[in-house]
Amino acid sequence: MNTQKTILVTGGCGFIGSNFVTMLIEEHPEFKVINLDSLTYAGNLENLEDIMDEPQYEFIRGDICDENLVSKILSENKVDGIINFAAESHVDRSISGPKVFVDTNITGTLVLLQQAVANKTKRFLQVSTDEVYGSLGDDGEFTEESPIKPNSPYSVSKASADYFVQAYQHTYGLETIITRCSNNYGRYQFPEKLIPLMFNNARTNKKLPVYGDGKNVRDWIHVYDHCRAILLAYSMGESGNIYNVGADCEKTNLEIINLILTYLGKPESLIEFVKDRLGHDQRYAIDSSKIRNTLGWKPTVDFDSGIIKTLSWYYNNKDWVDNVTSGEYKNYYSEMYENR
Ligand code: NAD
Ligand code: DAU
């Protein structure tokens, strides 16, 4: 008898999705994985090179907004559950062009929910973010009870999707889980985000564009620990619940940048303070006691070793960085930074 469960993972060619799919294939033979990804600028098949030929894995190129395609995948494959990573994920891009954030993050999530109900898919996990809670001052941490106060077009789109997920649980009885995680670091992150962007610039002796005074605080977690939390919440979480995920590791942006400079042996003079991000959230900090106490999750990668491993990965995988920063990235970079 085949006891393998089939999961539809969306956005599995992006940063966190590809780390998640690789973890499932390498460590969890009990799952078959179908990866639905439209391969936007942020999606890259190379991220899955290690596992792409495994019989447990199937890739489908397509858009989560395409309801016929989603319905066909769910009905033809007896999918047990959906884990939704697919999103436009970059705050800066949401400030310059919010429409696609509404399309993918809100409409796309709604299509997945509708088709999950129509096809009697059992479980739905929405990969959400701590940014739905807005910004903190010097003290305090976000709990699952914190008010939803998103500030950027990106975080508004994610908060809106979360509300749709909750409505589908309440109204149609779909089993849903929402995870809200803090900033991830690790291999395969697109170099529009702080760590790989600063690493790539410093390595090539380009200026490091620090927004504002560089004192904004982010709470960092290794992507592998986030992936473990998602799988645990999907497998063991109680339907209707939200789980915050974080590793209690707050750092200012300047602390992160200085670590990168030290690793590469580059001078601080590369740092350039530039015009701040509009509406820049000051500080995020996550209280993850609920998932720790109810599901027994805890982070396993400590920051000091995780960050060195990550920087070494970018150092040793220059071809990957060169590939993803050729072409369209050059236009993005010059529009974003050259007259800032
Ligand atoms: P990413 O931008 O690296 O990857 C997004 C993936 O989604 C890409 O592979 C892209 O091709 C795909 N995609 C985009 N639009 C699509 C569509 N319409 N249909 C199908 N596929 C589509 O993002 P990430 O950093 O890996 O984030 C993944 C998820 O985790 C997002 O939902 C994000 O909100 C959430 N999240 C990210 C972080 C973080 O630190 N990066 C933290 C918390 C939560
Ligand atoms: O908190 C979770 C969120 O973390 C996720 O939901 C998002 O998908 C993810 O992109 C991330 O959002 P941030 O806005 O925190 O990440 P980003 O890497 O864009 O920026 C981190 C900090 O670094 C932020 O304070 C802005 C600053 N920054 C960023 C860039 C790209 C700079 O100072 N200069 C830069 O060039």
Side-chain angles (χ1 to χ4, degrees):
M1 195 175 74
N2 183 7
T3 53
Q4 224 176 22
K5 299 269 184 216
T6 301
I7 302 186
L8 174 63
V9 170
T10 68
C13 297
F15 164 45
I16 306 173
S18 63
N19 278 284
F20 182 80
V21 169
T22 303
M23 180 190 81
L24 270 192
I25 301 297
E26 287 179 348
E27 300 175 21
H28 295 275
E30 68 274 23
F31 292 110
K32 173 173 192 270
V33 181
I34 300 173
N35 173 15
L36 172 64
D37 194 303
S38 61
L39 298 179
T40 68
Y41 77 92
N44 187 354
L45 287 172
E46 251 187 272
N47 300 0
L48 291 157
E49 246 170 24
D50 291 349
I51 56 91
M52 65 198 286
D53 295 325
E54 295 299 326
Q56 246 179 293
Y57 172 73
E58 183 185 343
F59 173 65
I60 298 173
R61 183 172 188 175
D63 193 323
I64 60 167
C65 300
D66 181 343
E67 50 188 289
N68 293 330
L69 175 64
V70 173
S71 176
K72 187 166 178 285
I73 295 170
L74 294 179
S75 61
E76 285 180 359
N77 295 282
K78 294 202 180 64
V79 169
D80 297 285
I82 300 174
I83 302 186
N84 182 28
F85 292 89
E88 288 295 330
S89 67
H90 191 35
V91 173
D92 289 328
R93 290 186 194 249
S94 82
I95 294 167
S96 50
K99 170 77 168 59
V100 67
F101 286 72
V102 173
D103 295 342
T104 289
N105 299 4
I106 306 177
T107 308
T109 301
L110 178 58
V111 166
L112 294 172
L113 291 164
Q114 285 174 318
Q115 294 310 320
V117 170
N119 289 283
K120 299 191 171 45
T121 305
K122 217 166 165 270
R123 277 224 137 184
F124 187 98
L125 185 141
Q126 174 71 357
V127 182
S128 187
T129 169
D130 61 356
E131 295 199 15
V132 300
Y133 299 121
S135 182
L136 292 165
D138 290 343
D139 304 317
E141 292 184 326
F142 300 127
T143 72
E144 290 82 357
E145 272 72 50
S146 297
I148 300 299
K149 284 173 71 178
N151 290 319
S152 69
Y154 162 70
S155 53
V156 168
S157 70
K158 293 294 290 185
S160 175
D162 286 5
Y163 281 131
F164 271 109
V165 172
Q166 290 177 315
Y168 267 68
Q169 194 262 341
H170 184 84
T171 311
Y172 303 101
L174 179 66
E175 280 186 28
T176 67
I177 302 284
I178 295 172
T179 55
R180 292 186 178 144
C181 188
S182 59
N183 285 63
N184 286 218
Y185 68 95
R187 62 182 179 172
Y188 299 128
Q189 187 167 33
F190 193 77
E192 63 188 351
K193 308 282 167 54
L194 180 75
I195 291 176
L197 184 142
M198 296 299 172
F199 184 90
N200 192 35
N201 281 19
R203 183 177 194 165
T204 52
N205 300 312
K206 268 166 94 170
K207 289 286 185 187
L208 310 186
V210 179
Y211 301 162
D213 61 7
K215 292 189 180 142
N216 303 66
V217 172
R218 297 294 182 261
D219 190 351
W220 293 93
I221 180 171
H222 192 273
V223 64
Y224 181 67
D225 281 330
H226 183 195
C227 292
R228 288 175 47 251
I230 289 169
L231 182 60
L232 185 65
Y234 174 81
S235 307
M236 310 286 287
E238 197 186 327
S239 173
N241 272 253
I242 295 166
Y243 297 95
N244 282 354
V245 182
D248 296 329
C249 182
E250 292 183 48
K251 304 272 177 210
T252 65
N253 295 336
L254 279 176
E255 283 176 300
I256 296 284
I257 289 163
N258 279 316
L259 259 168
I260 295 171
L261 289 172
T262 306
Y263 175 88
L264 287 170
K266 299 283 181 173
E268 273 188 38
S269 56
L270 284 178
I271 291 176
E272 180 174 52
F273 291 95
V274 299
K275 187 166 159 269
D276 208 352
R277 174 184 278 175
L278 295 177
H280 197 169
D281 285 344
Q282 184 56 36
R283 175 172 165 261
Y284 306 141
I286 273 274
D287 176 342
S288 57
S289 44
K290 179 175 170 181
I291 190 167
R292 292 177 193 237
N293 295 337
T294 61
L295 302 183
W297 174 88
K298 61 176 185 202
T300 58
V301 183
D302 89 283
F303 183 78
D304 292 344
S305 59
I307 192 72
I308 294 299
K309 218 174 142 198
T310 298
L311 299 181
S312 307
W313 187 87
Y314 286 102
Y315 191 83
N316 292 324
N317 288 274
K318 191 171 176 301
D319 288 352
W320 182 91
V321 178
D322 288 347
N323 283 347
V324 297
T325 52
S326 63
E328 189 48 38
Y329 181 83
K330 291 198 171 75
N331 299 335
Y332 165 77
Y333 194 89
S334 69
E335 272 169 35
M336 189 65 204
Y337 294 103
E338 268 155 26
N339 291 313
R340 200 173 173 109

